[in-house]
Amino acid sequence: MADKTVSKHLINIEKQFASTDPVLQKAVKVFQDLDEMEFEMGLIENDETTARKSSWWPLISLVGGYSPAKSDFLNRFLEANLHTTRHKFTVLQYTPQATSATLPGTALDADHRLPFYQISQTIEQSIPGEGAKVNSYLELVTVNSGKLKNKLVIDTAVLNPSAENAANTLLRQHVIAISDLVLVFTDLFEADSDLNKDSVASIVKYQDTNKFLFVIDHSEIGLDENKTQEIITSWQRRLAEFGIFTGQYVVLSQNSSDSQIEQRVNNLNNDRSYRVLGALENSIRAIDDVIMPEVESALTTWKERCNASTLIILSFIIMLILFAEIAVGVLDLFFDPIIGPLFIVTLIAFLTPIHIVVSRVHAKFIINHLHKRQKQLNLSEDLAGLFEKSLSFWRILLPMTQPVGKTKKNRKKLNLLLEQAKDLIQALNDQFSRSQYQEYHPPYDAQTGEEY
């Protein structure tokens, strides 16, 4: 088998982080090793990579109700005058050009570097007929704002009773799941309960990730510190009624600054790094925890159906022999030292191609089932590809239900990749402790030249 070529996506990522983030640069090599293993098993194509599962851009999203608080804050924060479509999900990206440009949703759907890559397929799977309308739900806007350099902002569609639908709900849940920082404007909780219930459920689901910053808008009035704390306490009690018990709070007022939000934004690169490494670890674990069990179960079902079909054909042949025995008496021939073995060989030669043909027919039904399971499990790996790799001649004939690649050798490789992913997370942790230590100490002893 030909070796897998390194994805252009991975090559570009490695160049991007070569000088800025050595941990993510090393993560590229682990992704590459995982890609080679998945390619050998038929799970991905030669030009694909598992690194595309997660956006490598730091992601900020804004979620709110129908009030102008969200859009007003965004214009003030980016120091821009945006006129985005309020019923669409707008991805804001930096441009050095003075003039902004608005691109259709297909630009997001087709670009693997952006957070809505192939989202039309997800929409179509959940809401048939809506996947082709991606331009009705998404847009990409370029903005000349330094705040957007090396990051993306997703301005979610407002909760509008006349425009809210299942696709909007799906997209909002997707945005909350993939974001590193979610600014939740509290007018979301003042919307009709039928409108905000799915968004609230997503916040509850991910509340322990520390990605939520609840923004309370009182920008029209001035507030002192005591009053600000009273407002935060009140909202903490109110959100507890929704099942939300974690997250930071910030109150926007005439005399407040956005320093707390700025602090979270400045830490986005770290949040992004942990998210990417977490996605890497999940991808490695998914091979053993999800992919192999799914395909092995499919192989077991396929094998049972094939054997049952062949047994039915064999039973029909035996019935013909019994009828022949009743009619003319042929059983004595089967005990003949020459005719008996010859008959068995002929029977095997007859049944073998029939069994192979039957197996191929049943395989088509199993492949269709695996395509559906892949969509249900939201996997980028091709389950049917691994299944087809496991349909070699001898695997069809022998009682083998283990997928190709489920070996001790690959088990060791997966364990090694998992350890490497954990080491990278530890290295990321060490970066913080080292940087804090270096605030008070030099990186080496000036007299001996040795590193601390």
Side-chain angles (χ1 to χ4, degrees), residues 47-58:
D47 60 340
E48 285 294 321
T49 174
T50 49
R52 288 181 179 174
K53 290 182 180 181
S54 182
S55 172
W56 290 65
W57 292 82

Side-chain angles (χ1 to χ4, degrees), residues 169-236:
T169 298
L170 184 151
L171 288 169
R172 196 173 288 107
Q173 291 172 335
H174 173 73
V175 168
I176 291 174
I178 65 174
S179 295
D180 299 303
L181 173 63
V182 185
L183 303 182
V184 183
F185 288 77
T186 51
D187 60 349
L188 170 75
F189 303 97
E190 296 169 346
D192 183 270
S193 58
D194 287 335
L195 284 179
N196 70 17
K197 64 179 181 181
D198 293 305
S199 299
V200 171
S202 293
I203 294 172
V204 171
K205 179 180 179 180
Y206 294 102
Q207 64 176 315
D208 292 331
T209 60
N210 193 37
K211 67 169 68 178
F212 297 102
L213 182 60
F214 298 99
V215 183
I216 307 164
D217 182 47
H218 287 297
S219 54
E220 74 285 356
I221 60 175
L223 298 170
D224 60 28
E225 186 176 345
N226 290 334
K227 185 62 177 176
T228 297
Q229 190 55 49
E230 287 179 15
I231 292 172
I232 291 175
T233 302
S234 175
W235 270 104
Q236 285 175 327

Side-chain angles (χ1 to χ4, degrees), residues 434-446:
R434 191 182 305 119
S435 62
Q436 291 172 355
Y437 182 77
Q438 288 173 353
E439 289 179 6
Y440 304 98
H441 300 277
Y444 60 89
D445 189 307

